[in-house]
Amino acid sequence: MSVFDRRDHLEEPQLESWFNPKKRPDVIATTGWLAPVLWEGTYDREVLEQYYKRLNITVGLAVFATGNFSSESLRRFIKSANKYFMVGYNVIFYILADGTSNLPYLELGPLRTLKMWRLSGEEMTYEDSNLRNMNNMRYKIMEHIQYEVNFLFVMTANQIIKNHFGVETLGRSVAQLHAWWYFKQPREFPYERRRKASAFIAFEEGDFYYHSAIVGGTPLDVLDLIEHYIKGIIDDRTNELSSTYERHLNKYFFIKKPVRVLSPEYNWDPRFKTPPEIWHIKVAWQPRIT
């Protein structure tokens, strides 16, 4: 196990020192299991900066450049992450790509490092491709990433970071609320409803619906999520079933509650009318570039 990932090595700061849900009575700012839901106005980043600066942490950001991805989309994502993601901290960008010939030139600022890994494999269905990607991420965490970073985020490239994505988001396990489903009732969520499926959640159960575009935590916690997803896919195949990665992710966070929950401000779709609850859009979907 990496010394970075020992649970007693990097304690989290006291919640009451930097988080105040009473400042946002208009939204759900605390979960039923008392995890903070991060909205603008609820946190004091300066307190967290004082805490994390002395620890000299490194944060990883992994992104897949696979399938029909656009090199311009990837360039825009990395450019925005270089500007706004964990400013002032050591960051390693991990790009897992089908090939390197169509990857754009990426110029990074200080404290930023970029690593590219090539994934092999022929054309496959979306879910098979996603399983391949997660298998590759699993091995990269085990062989490299857990020894290089304290925290890891896995994001999709079809986003633009538009405002500071900072240390308030750090925690053992981090989940992103889905912008569309946040305003719906749990019974309406598109959970996996087939009882024999590994990702099954009953209609009378559920907390939130999480988006697969952003997940994070310590490398070993992200690894645990990936391993549960892979096991779920394998178990489903014995029953001739299949389910999406996002549904497996929602089942995982239903069982193992995240310690940080990112509000829809961290993943907003600009096609939706921005409601008054959204004060500052941190991350936005970018239009598909062909």
Side-chain angles (χ1 to χ4, degrees), residues 170-213:
L170 299 179
R172 253 190 4 262
S173 61
V174 183
Q176 170 64 57
L177 293 181
H178 199 295
W180 173 256
W181 297 105
Y182 171 77
F183 298 97
K184 305 292 183 178
Q185 296 299 315
R187 191 172 182 83
E188 303 175 76
F189 293 164
Y191 291 144
E192 175 57 76
R193 302 299 190 180
R194 293 172 294 180
R195 290 188 174 275
K196 290 186 178 181
S198 297
F200 169 71
I201 298 177
F203 277 100
E204 65 274 12
E205 297 181 321
D207 305 306
F208 301 100
Y209 192 79
Y210 303 106
H211 203 309
S212 59

mmCIF file of all heavy atoms in Angstrom, residues 170-213:
data_model
loop_
_atom_site.group_PDB
_atom_site.id
_atom_site.type_symbol
_atom_site.label_atom_id
_atom_site.label_comp_id
_atom_site.label_asym_id
_atom_site.label_seq_id
_atom_site.Cartn_x
_atom_site.Cartn_y
_atom_site.Cartn_z
ATOM 1 N N LEU A 170 -11.685 17.757 -2.021
ATOM 2 C CA LEU A 170 -10.867 16.607 -1.643
ATOM 3 C C LEU A 170 -11.511 15.815 -0.509
ATOM 4 O O LEU A 170 -12.035 16.384 0.446
ATOM 5 C CB LEU A 170 -9.468 17.061 -1.225
ATOM 6 C CG LEU A 170 -8.645 17.774 -2.286
ATOM 7 C CD1 LEU A 170 -7.295 18.186 -1.715
ATOM 8 C CD2 LEU A 170 -8.470 16.886 -3.516
ATOM 9 N N GLY A 171 -11.420 14.505 -0.609
ATOM 10 C CA GLY A 171 -11.949 13.624 0.417
ATOM 11 C C GLY A 171 -11.664 12.187 0.042
ATOM 12 O O GLY A 171 -11.220 11.899 -1.072
ATOM 13 N N ARG A 172 -11.923 11.286 0.968
ATOM 14 C CA ARG A 172 -11.658 9.877 0.706
ATOM 15 C C ARG A 172 -12.433 9.357 -0.489
ATOM 16 O O ARG A 172 -11.921 8.585 -1.285
ATOM 17 C CB ARG A 172 -12.017 9.052 1.955
ATOM 18 C CG ARG A 172 -10.837 8.545 2.715
ATOM 19 C CD ARG A 172 -11.170 7.545 3.793
ATOM 20 N NE ARG A 172 -12.546 7.151 3.900
ATOM 21 C CZ ARG A 172 -13.406 7.662 4.754
ATOM 22 N NH1 ARG A 172 -13.061 8.655 5.536
ATOM 23 N NH2 ARG A 172 -14.640 7.215 4.814
ATOM 24 N N SER A 173 -13.703 9.745 -0.604
ATOM 25 C CA SER A 173 -14.503 9.367 -1.771
ATOM 26 C C SER A 173 -15.403 10.540 -2.126
ATOM 27 O O SER A 173 -16.034 11.135 -1.256
ATOM 28 C CB SER A 173 -15.334 8.111 -1.490
ATOM 29 O OG SER A 173 -16.238 8.319 -0.416
ATOM 30 N N VAL A 174 -15.449 10.867 -3.411
ATOM 31 C CA VAL A 174 -16.130 12.071 -3.888
ATOM 32 C C VAL A 174 -17.086 11.687 -5.008
ATOM 33 O O VAL A 174 -16.692 11.041 -5.980
ATOM 34 C CB VAL A 174 -15.114 13.116 -4.397
ATOM 35 C CG1 VAL A 174 -15.833 14.391 -4.807
ATOM 36 C CG2 VAL A 174 -14.055 13.402 -3.343
ATOM 37 N N ALA A 175 -18.346 12.109 -4.871
ATOM 38 C CA ALA A 175 -19.355 11.815 -5.885
ATOM 39 C C ALA A 175 -19.942 13.115 -6.411
ATOM 40 O O ALA A 175 -20.017 14.127 -5.694
ATOM 41 C CB ALA A 175 -20.464 10.940 -5.295
ATOM 42 N N GLN A 176 -20.363 13.092 -7.668
ATOM 43 C CA GLN A 176 -20.902 14.267 -8.346
ATOM 44 C C GLN A 176 -22.410 14.114 -8.556
ATOM 45 O O GLN A 176 -22.855 13.138 -9.165
ATOM 46 C CB GLN A 176 -20.225 14.442 -9.707
ATOM 47 C CG GLN A 176 -20.857 15.480 -10.610
ATOM 48 C CD GLN A 176 -20.767 16.872 -10.046
ATOM 49 O OE1 GLN A 176 -19.682 17.360 -9.769
ATOM 50 N NE2 GLN A 176 -21.907 17.532 -9.846
ATOM 51 N N LEU A 177 -23.203 15.057 -8.059
ATOM 52 C CA LEU A 177 -24.643 15.016 -8.303
ATOM 53 C C LEU A 177 -24.942 15.296 -9.768
ATOM 54 O O LEU A 177 -24.342 16.177 -10.381
ATOM 55 C CB LEU A 177 -25.362 16.049 -7.436
ATOM 56 C CG LEU A 177 -25.350 15.819 -5.928
ATOM 57 C CD1 LEU A 177 -26.129 16.924 -5.227
ATOM 58 C CD2 LEU A 177 -25.926 14.460 -5.578
ATOM 59 N N HIS A 178 -25.877 14.553 -10.305
ATOM 60 C CA HIS A 178 -26.290 14.745 -11.695
ATOM 61 C C HIS A 178 -27.187 15.978 -11.776
ATOM 62 O O HIS A 178 -28.192 16.079 -11.062
ATOM 63 C CB HIS A 178 -27.038 13.512 -12.186
ATOM 64 C CG HIS A 178 -27.104 13.403 -13.665
ATOM 65 N ND1 HIS A 178 -27.786 14.304 -14.451
ATOM 66 C CD2 HIS A 178 -26.578 12.491 -14.520
ATOM 67 C CE1 HIS A 178 -27.683 13.954 -15.716
ATOM 68 N NE2 HIS A 178 -26.940 12.864 -15.795
ATOM 69 N N ALA A 179 -26.829 16.928 -12.626
ATOM 70 C CA ALA A 179 -27.544 18.199 -12.693
ATOM 71 C C ALA A 179 -29.035 18.009 -12.993
ATOM 72 O O ALA A 179 -29.883 18.682 -12.402
ATOM 73 C CB ALA A 179 -26.905 19.098 -13.756
ATOM 74 N N TRP A 180 -29.346 17.117 -13.903
ATOM 75 C CA TRP A 180 -30.741 16.927 -14.290
ATOM 76 C C TRP A 180 -31.541 16.261 -13.180
ATOM 77 O O TRP A 180 -32.623 16.709 -12.807
ATOM 78 C CB TRP A 180 -30.823 16.099 -15.568
ATOM 79 C CG TRP A 180 -32.224 15.714 -15.941
ATOM 80 C CD1 TRP A 180 -32.815 14.494 -15.792
ATOM 81 C CD2 TRP A 180 -33.235 16.555 -16.520
ATOM 82 N NE1 TRP A 180 -34.112 14.507 -16.238
ATOM 83 C CE2 TRP A 180 -34.393 15.781 -16.693
ATOM 84 C CE3 TRP A 180 -33.265 17.894 -16.908
ATOM 85 C CZ2 TRP A 180 -35.563 16.295 -17.230
ATOM 86 C CZ3 TRP A 180 -34.437 18.402 -17.445
ATOM 87 C CH2 TRP A 180 -35.566 17.603 -17.601
ATOM 88 N N TRP A 181 -31.005 15.213 -12.602
ATOM 89 C CA TRP A 181 -31.757 14.414 -11.640
ATOM 90 C C TRP A 181 -31.750 14.996 -10.234
ATOM 91 O O TRP A 181 -32.515 14.544 -9.377
ATOM 92 C CB TRP A 181 -31.248 12.975 -11.636
ATOM 93 C CG TRP A 181 -31.468 12.306 -12.956
ATOM 94 C CD1 TRP A 181 -30.534 12.027 -13.908
ATOM 95 C CD2 TRP A 181 -32.720 11.887 -13.500
ATOM 96 N NE1 TRP A 181 -31.114 11.458 -15.008
ATOM 97 C CE2 TRP A 181 -32.463 11.356 -14.787
ATOM 98 C CE3 TRP A 181 -34.035 11.900 -13.034
ATOM 99 C CZ2 TRP A 181 -33.470 10.841 -15.595
ATOM 100 C CZ3 TRP A 181 -35.036 11.390 -13.836
ATOM 101 C CH2 TRP A 181 -34.747 10.870 -15.105
ATOM 102 N N TYR A 182 -30.939 16.003 -9.977
ATOM 103 C CA TYR A 182 -30.950 16.633 -8.656
ATOM 104 C C TYR A 182 -32.328 17.198 -8.332
ATOM 105 O O TYR A 182 -32.766 17.209 -7.189
ATOM 106 C CB TYR A 182 -29.902 17.756 -8.588
ATOM 107 C CG TYR A 182 -30.002 18.583 -7.322
ATOM 108 C CD1 TYR A 182 -29.507 18.097 -6.109
ATOM 109 C CD2 TYR A 182 -30.614 19.840 -7.335
ATOM 110 C CE1 TYR A 182 -29.614 18.843 -4.946
ATOM 111 C CE2 TYR A 182 -30.719 20.594 -6.165
ATOM 112 C CZ TYR A 182 -30.225 20.091 -4.982
ATOM 113 O OH TYR A 182 -30.333 20.827 -3.829
ATOM 114 N N PHE A 183 -33.029 17.690 -9.332
ATOM 115 C CA PHE A 183 -34.311 18.335 -9.124
ATOM 116 C C PHE A 183 -35.490 17.356 -9.237
ATOM 117 O O PHE A 183 -36.647 17.780 -9.293
ATOM 118 C CB PHE A 183 -34.473 19.483 -10.133
ATOM 119 C CG PHE A 183 -33.440 20.553 -9.963
ATOM 120 C CD1 PHE A 183 -32.298 20.568 -10.757
ATOM 121 C CD2 PHE A 183 -33.585 21.529 -8.992
ATOM 122 C CE1 PHE A 183 -31.335 21.558 -10.595
ATOM 123 C CE2 PHE A 183 -32.618 22.515 -8.826
ATOM 124 C CZ PHE A 183 -31.493 22.538 -9.626
ATOM 125 N N LYS A 184 -35.203 16.062 -9.257
ATOM 126 C CA LYS A 184 -36.237 15.046 -9.330
ATOM 127 C C LYS A 184 -36.311 14.262 -8.020
ATOM 128 O O LYS A 184 -35.451 14.362 -7.157
ATOM 129 C CB LYS A 184 -35.955 14.077 -10.495
ATOM 130 C CG LYS A 184 -35.794 14.751 -11.850
ATOM 131 C CD LYS A 184 -37.095 15.361 -12.346
ATOM 132 C CE LYS A 184 -36.914 15.967 -13.737
ATOM 133 N NZ LYS A 184 -38.169 16.536 -14.264
ATOM 134 N N GLN A 185 -37.345 13.450 -7.880
ATOM 135 C CA GLN A 185 -37.509 12.602 -6.705
ATOM 136 C C GLN A 185 -36.808 11.257 -6.919
ATOM 137 O O GLN A 185 -36.720 10.778 -8.063
ATOM 138 C CB GLN A 185 -38.995 12.358 -6.431
ATOM 139 C CG GLN A 185 -39.765 13.620 -6.065
ATOM 140 C CD GLN A 185 -39.232 14.277 -4.807
ATOM 141 O OE1 GLN A 185 -38.962 13.601 -3.806
ATOM 142 N NE2 GLN A 185 -39.073 15.598 -4.846
ATOM 143 N N PRO A 186 -36.310 10.623 -5.833
ATOM 144 C CA PRO A 186 -35.579 9.351 -5.988
ATOM 145 C C PRO A 186 -36.347 8.290 -6.765
ATOM 146 O O PRO A 186 -35.731 7.504 -7.493
ATOM 147 C CB PRO A 186 -35.334 8.917 -4.538
ATOM 148 C CG PRO A 186 -35.252 10.212 -3.789
ATOM 149 C CD PRO A 186 -36.259 11.110 -4.443
ATOM 150 N N ARG A 187 -37.661 8.259 -6.638
ATOM 151 C CA ARG A 187 -38.421 7.247 -7.355
ATOM 152 C C ARG A 187 -38.311 7.405 -8.870
ATOM 153 O O ARG A 187 -38.499 6.459 -9.626
ATOM 154 C CB ARG A 187 -39.897 7.303 -6.914
ATOM 155 C CG ARG A 187 -40.728 6.122 -7.409
ATOM 156 C CD ARG A 187 -42.112 6.115 -6.805
ATOM 157 N NE ARG A 187 -42.858 4.961 -7.265
ATOM 158 C CZ ARG A 187 -42.766 3.747 -6.741
ATOM 159 N NH1 ARG A 187 -41.941 3.542 -5.722
ATOM 160 N NH2 ARG A 187 -43.472 2.747 -7.221
ATOM 161 N N GLU A 188 -37.993 8.612 -9.306
ATOM 162 C CA GLU A 188 -37.860 8.885 -10.739
ATOM 163 C C GLU A 188 -36.456 8.596 -11.261
ATOM 164 O O GLU A 188 -36.249 8.593 -12.479
ATOM 165 C CB GLU A 188 -38.212 10.349 -11.025
ATOM 166 C CG GLU A 188 -39.590 10.787 -10.587
ATOM 167 C CD GLU A 188 -39.803 12.272 -10.804
ATOM 168 O OE1 GLU A 188 -40.007 12.680 -11.969
ATOM 169 O OE2 GLU A 188 -39.745 13.035 -9.822
ATOM 170 N N PHE A 189 -35.488 8.404 -10.387
ATOM 171 C CA PHE A 189 -34.106 8.237 -10.825
ATOM 172 C C PHE A 189 -33.959 7.026 -11.742
ATOM 173 O O PHE A 189 -34.609 5.988 -11.520
ATOM 174 C CB PHE A 189 -33.179 8.052 -9.622
ATOM 175 C CG PHE A 189 -33.048 9.258 -8.733
ATOM 176 C CD1 PHE A 189 -32.515 9.126 -7.457
ATOM 177 C CD2 PHE A 189 -33.445 10.517 -9.156
ATOM 178 C CE1 PHE A 189 -32.392 10.225 -6.617
ATOM 179 C CE2 PHE A 189 -33.331 11.623 -8.326
ATOM 180 C CZ PHE A 189 -32.799 11.480 -7.050
ATOM 181 N N PRO A 190 -33.083 7.104 -12.734
ATOM 182 C CA PRO A 190 -32.878 5.964 -13.649
ATOM 183 C C PRO A 190 -31.914 4.923 -13.084
ATOM 184 O O PRO A 190 -30.960 4.508 -13.741
ATOM 185 C CB PRO A 190 -32.303 6.649 -14.898
ATOM 186 C CG PRO A 190 -31.554 7.823 -14.363
ATOM 187 C CD PRO A 190 -32.356 8.313 -13.186
ATOM 188 N N TYR A 191 -32.168 4.507 -11.828
ATOM 189 C CA TYR A 191 -31.396 3.417 -11.246
ATOM 190 C C TYR A 191 -31.658 2.124 -12.013
ATOM 191 O O TYR A 191 -32.648 2.007 -12.764
ATOM 192 C CB TYR A 191 -31.804 3.179 -9.796
ATOM 193 C CG TYR A 191 -31.438 4.246 -8.791
ATOM 194 C CD1 TYR A 191 -32.295 4.544 -7.733
ATOM 195 C CD2 TYR A 191 -30.241 4.945 -8.856
ATOM 196 C CE1 TYR A 191 -31.978 5.501 -6.781
ATOM 197 C CE2 TYR A 191 -29.914 5.905 -7.906
ATOM 198 C CZ TYR A 191 -30.789 6.174 -6.873
ATOM 199 O OH TYR A 191 -30.468 7.116 -5.925
ATOM 200 N N GLU A 192 -30.814 1.135 -11.790
ATOM 201 C CA GLU A 192 -31.073 -0.208 -12.304
ATOM 202 C C GLU A 192 -32.188 -0.824 -11.456
ATOM 203 O O GLU A 192 -32.057 -0.967 -10.238
ATOM 204 C CB GLU A 192 -29.797 -1.060 -12.198
ATOM 205 C CG GLU A 192 -29.978 -2.513 -12.601
ATOM 206 C CD GLU A 192 -30.514 -2.669 -14.004
ATOM 207 O OE1 GLU A 192 -29.739 -2.494 -14.956
ATOM 208 O OE2 GLU A 192 -31.735 -2.973 -14.131
ATOM 209 N N ARG A 193 -33.303 -1.182 -12.089
ATOM 210 C CA ARG A 193 -34.480 -1.661 -11.351
ATOM 211 C C ARG A 193 -34.716 -3.161 -11.483
ATOM 212 O O ARG A 193 -35.651 -3.691 -10.884
ATOM 213 C CB ARG A 193 -35.731 -0.916 -11.824
ATOM 214 C CG ARG A 193 -35.675 0.607 -11.668
ATOM 215 C CD ARG A 193 -35.503 1.050 -10.231
ATOM 216 N NE ARG A 193 -35.686 2.496 -10.086
ATOM 217 C CZ ARG A 193 -35.594 3.159 -8.932
ATOM 218 N NH1 ARG A 193 -35.285 2.484 -7.827
ATOM 219 N NH2 ARG A 193 -35.784 4.463 -8.896
ATOM 220 N N ARG A 194 -33.879 -3.856 -12.261
ATOM 221 C CA ARG A 194 -34.056 -5.307 -12.386
ATOM 222 C C ARG A 194 -33.435 -5.999 -11.178
ATOM 223 O O ARG A 194 -32.254 -5.807 -10.874
ATOM 224 C CB ARG A 194 -33.408 -5.800 -13.688
ATOM 225 C CG ARG A 194 -34.103 -5.291 -14.943
ATOM 226 C CD ARG A 194 -33.320 -5.636 -16.192
ATOM 227 N NE ARG A 194 -32.037 -4.941 -16.234
ATOM 228 C CZ ARG A 194 -31.146 -5.066 -17.216
ATOM 229 N NH1 ARG A 194 -31.406 -5.870 -18.230
ATOM 230 N NH2 ARG A 194 -30.014 -4.394 -17.185
ATOM 231 N N ARG A 195 -34.235 -6.788 -10.490
ATOM 232 C CA ARG A 195 -33.820 -7.355 -9.208
ATOM 233 C C ARG A 195 -32.599 -8.262 -9.316
ATOM 234 O O ARG A 195 -31.814 -8.370 -8.374
ATOM 235 C CB ARG A 195 -34.981 -8.123 -8.560
ATOM 236 C CG ARG A 195 -36.096 -7.215 -8.073
ATOM 237 C CD ARG A 195 -37.137 -7.958 -7.259
ATOM 238 N NE ARG A 195 -38.110 -7.026 -6.694
ATOM 239 C CZ ARG A 195 -37.945 -6.363 -5.554
ATOM 240 N NH1 ARG A 195 -36.839 -6.559 -4.849
ATOM 241 N NH2 ARG A 195 -38.866 -5.527 -5.115
ATOM 242 N N LYS A 196 -32.423 -8.926 -10.433
ATOM 243 C CA LYS A 196 -31.296 -9.847 -10.569
ATOM 244 C C LYS A 196 -30.006 -9.122 -10.959
ATOM 245 O O LYS A 196 -28.938 -9.740 -10.961
ATOM 246 C CB LYS A 196 -31.625 -10.925 -11.608
ATOM 247 C CG LYS A 196 -32.680 -11.921 -11.143
ATOM 248 C CD LYS A 196 -32.856 -13.042 -12.159
ATOM 249 C CE LYS A 196 -33.871 -14.079 -11.671
ATOM 250 N NZ LYS A 196 -34.019 -15.174 -12.659
ATOM 251 N N ALA A 197 -30.096 -7.848 -11.281
ATOM 252 C CA ALA A 197 -28.924 -7.102 -11.716
ATOM 253 C C ALA A 197 -28.077 -6.680 -10.509
ATOM 254 O O ALA A 197 -28.600 -6.387 -9.432
ATOM 255 C CB ALA A 197 -29.342 -5.873 -12.517
ATOM 256 N N SER A 198 -26.781 -6.642 -10.704
ATOM 257 C CA SER A 198 -25.865 -6.277 -9.624
ATOM 258 C C SER A 198 -26.076 -4.845 -9.141
ATOM 259 O O SER A 198 -25.844 -4.544 -7.969
ATOM 260 C CB SER A 198 -24.412 -6.443 -10.086
ATOM 261 O OG SER A 198 -24.135 -7.785 -10.402
ATOM 262 N N ALA A 199 -26.492 -3.972 -10.029
ATOM 263 C CA ALA A 199 -26.659 -2.560 -9.678
ATOM 264 C C ALA A 199 -28.066 -2.237 -9.188
ATOM 265 O O ALA A 199 -28.412 -1.061 -9.018
ATOM 266 C CB ALA A 199 -26.320 -1.684 -10.886
ATOM 267 N N PHE A 200 -28.866 -3.254 -8.887
ATOM 268 C CA PHE A 200 -30.272 -3.065 -8.512
ATOM 269 C C PHE A 200 -30.436 -2.175 -7.287
ATOM 270 O O PHE A 200 -29.773 -2.352 -6.265
ATOM 271 C CB PHE A 200 -30.918 -4.423 -8.237
ATOM 272 C CG PHE A 200 -32.277 -4.331 -7.588
ATOM 273 C CD1 PHE A 200 -33.378 -3.876 -8.300
ATOM 274 C CD2 PHE A 200 -32.451 -4.675 -6.249
ATOM 275 C CE1 PHE A 200 -34.628 -3.776 -7.704
ATOM 276 C CE2 PHE A 200 -33.695 -4.588 -5.640
ATOM 277 C CZ PHE A 200 -34.781 -4.139 -6.370
ATOM 278 N N ILE A 201 -31.336 -1.190 -7.397
ATOM 279 C CA ILE A 201 -31.786 -0.373 -6.276
ATOM 280 C C ILE A 201 -33.307 -0.323 -6.352
ATOM 281 O O ILE A 201 -33.877 0.037 -7.385
ATOM 282 C CB ILE A 201 -31.207 1.058 -6.328
ATOM 283 C CG1 ILE A 201 -29.679 1.028 -6.230
ATOM 284 C CG2 ILE A 201 -31.788 1.916 -5.199
ATOM 285 C CD1 ILE A 201 -29.023 2.403 -6.356
ATOM 286 N N ALA A 202 -33.968 -0.662 -5.259
ATOM 287 C CA ALA A 202 -35.435 -0.726 -5.234
ATOM 288 C C ALA A 202 -36.037 0.678 -5.334
ATOM 289 O O ALA A 202 -35.402 1.683 -4.996
ATOM 290 C CB ALA A 202 -35.900 -1.404 -3.952
ATOM 291 N N PHE A 203 -37.298 0.752 -5.779
ATOM 292 C CA PHE A 203 -37.970 2.034 -5.963
ATOM 293 C C PHE A 203 -38.078 2.825 -4.664
ATOM 294 O O PHE A 203 -38.046 4.042 -4.673
ATOM 295 C CB PHE A 203 -39.371 1.818 -6.556
ATOM 296 C CG PHE A 203 -39.377 1.669 -8.042
ATOM 297 C CD1 PHE A 203 -39.460 0.414 -8.624
ATOM 298 C CD2 PHE A 203 -39.291 2.782 -8.864
ATOM 299 C CE1 PHE A 203 -39.463 0.274 -10.011
ATOM 300 C CE2 PHE A 203 -39.291 2.651 -10.242
ATOM 301 C CZ PHE A 203 -39.381 1.398 -10.817
ATOM 302 N N GLU A 204 -38.212 2.131 -3.540
ATOM 303 C CA GLU A 204 -38.375 2.825 -2.261
ATOM 304 C C GLU A 204 -37.038 3.230 -1.638
ATOM 305 O O GLU A 204 -37.003 3.782 -0.537
ATOM 306 C CB GLU A 204 -39.156 1.954 -1.278
ATOM 307 C CG GLU A 204 -38.476 0.660 -0.855
ATOM 308 C CD GLU A 204 -38.728 -0.499 -1.814
ATOM 309 O OE1 GLU A 204 -39.252 -0.242 -2.930
ATOM 310 O OE2 GLU A 204 -38.414 -1.638 -1.439
ATOM 311 N N GLU A 205 -35.929 2.981 -2.333
ATOM 312 C CA GLU A 205 -34.613 3.282 -1.797
ATOM 313 C C GLU A 205 -33.879 4.299 -2.686
ATOM 314 O O GLU A 205 -34.327 4.623 -3.777
ATOM 315 C CB GLU A 205 -33.786 1.994 -1.679
ATOM 316 C CG GLU A 205 -34.371 0.988 -0.710
ATOM 317 C CD GLU A 205 -33.515 -0.266 -0.612
ATOM 318 O OE1 GLU A 205 -33.001 -0.718 -1.661
ATOM 319 O OE2 GLU A 205 -33.368 -0.798 0.499
ATOM 320 N N GLY A 206 -32.753 4.775 -2.176
ATOM 321 C CA GLY A 206 -31.929 5.703 -2.950
ATOM 322 C C GLY A 206 -31.782 7.047 -2.262
ATOM 323 O O GLY A 206 -32.671 7.480 -1.520
ATOM 324 N N ASP A 207 -30.652 7.692 -2.510
ATOM 325 C CA ASP A 207 -30.359 8.990 -1.908
ATOM 326 C C ASP A 207 -30.338 10.085 -2.969
ATOM 327 O O ASP A 207 -31.153 11.004 -2.965
ATOM 328 C CB ASP A 207 -28.996 8.946 -1.206
ATOM 329 C CG ASP A 207 -28.889 7.826 -0.196
ATOM 330 O OD1 ASP A 207 -29.751 7.754 0.682
ATOM 331 O OD2 ASP A 207 -27.935 7.020 -0.308
ATOM 332 N N PHE A 208 -29.374 9.985 -3.870
ATOM 333 C CA PHE A 208 -29.202 10.927 -4.963
ATOM 334 C C PHE A 208 -28.914 10.119 -6.227
ATOM 335 O O PHE A 208 -28.659 8.920 -6.176
ATOM 336 C CB PHE A 208 -28.016 11.872 -4.705
ATOM 337 C CG PHE A 208 -28.126 12.677 -3.447
ATOM 338 C CD1 PHE A 208 -27.444 12.300 -2.294
ATOM 339 C CD2 PHE A 208 -28.899 13.826 -3.399
ATOM 340 C CE1 PHE A 208 -27.520 13.039 -1.131
ATOM 341 C CE2 PHE A 208 -28.989 14.579 -2.238
ATOM 342 C CZ PHE A 208 -28.297 14.181 -1.103
ATOM 343 N N TYR A 209 -28.926 10.829 -7.369
ATOM 344 C CA TYR A 209 -28.442 10.197 -8.584
ATOM 345 C C TYR A 209 -27.139 10.882 -8.959
ATOM 346 O O TYR A 209 -27.089 12.098 -9.168
ATOM 347 C CB TYR A 209 -29.443 10.291 -9.735
ATOM 348 C CG TYR A 209 -29.050 9.394 -10.885
ATOM 349 C CD1 TYR A 209 -29.293 8.025 -10.836
ATOM 350 C CD2 TYR A 209 -28.388 9.903 -12.000
ATOM 351 C CE1 TYR A 209 -28.901 7.182 -11.872
ATOM 352 C CE2 TYR A 209 -27.989 9.064 -13.036
ATOM 353 C CZ TYR A 209 -28.251 7.705 -12.960
ATOM 354 O OH TYR A 209 -27.850 6.882 -13.976
ATOM 355 N N TYR A 210 -26.076 10.090 -9.033
ATOM 356 C CA TYR A 210 -24.733 10.615 -9.260
ATOM 357 C C TYR A 210 -24.340 10.509 -10.723
ATOM 358 O O TYR A 210 -24.721 9.571 -11.419
ATOM 359 C CB TYR A 210 -23.724 9.857 -8.393
ATOM 360 C CG TYR A 210 -24.025 9.908 -6.921
ATOM 361 C CD1 TYR A 210 -24.544 8.789 -6.255
ATOM 362 C CD2 TYR A 210 -23.795 11.058 -6.178
ATOM 363 C CE1 TYR A 210 -24.819 8.824 -4.896
ATOM 364 C CE2 TYR A 210 -24.065 11.106 -4.818
ATOM 365 C CZ TYR A 210 -24.582 9.986 -4.184
ATOM 366 O OH TYR A 210 -24.860 10.029 -2.835
ATOM 367 N N HIS A 211 -23.549 11.467 -11.154
ATOM 368 C CA HIS A 211 -23.089 11.533 -12.541
ATOM 369 C C HIS A 211 -21.727 10.851 -12.647
ATOM 370 O O HIS A 211 -20.848 11.058 -11.804
ATOM 371 C CB HIS A 211 -22.971 12.996 -12.966
ATOM 372 C CG HIS A 211 -23.050 13.212 -14.442
ATOM 373 N ND1 HIS A 211 -22.270 12.506 -15.347
ATOM 374 C CD2 HIS A 211 -23.809 14.059 -15.189
ATOM 375 C CE1 HIS A 211 -22.553 12.916 -16.571
ATOM 376 N NE2 HIS A 211 -23.477 13.853 -16.505
ATOM 377 N N SER A 212 -21.543 10.085 -13.705
ATOM 378 C CA SER A 212 -20.278 9.371 -13.907
ATOM 379 C C SER A 212 -19.191 10.266 -14.494
ATOM 380 O O SER A 212 -18.047 9.837 -14.639
ATOM 381 C CB SER A 212 -20.490 8.170 -14.832
ATOM 382 O OG SER A 212 -20.990 8.590 -16.098
ATOM 383 N N ALA A 213 -19.518 11.525 -14.808
ATOM 384 C CA ALA A 213 -18.538 12.419 -15.436
ATOM 385 C C ALA A 213 -17.410 12.808 -14.495
ATOM 386 O O ALA A 213 -16.320 13.160 -14.945
ATOM 387 C CB ALA A 213 -19.230 13.681 -15.955
#
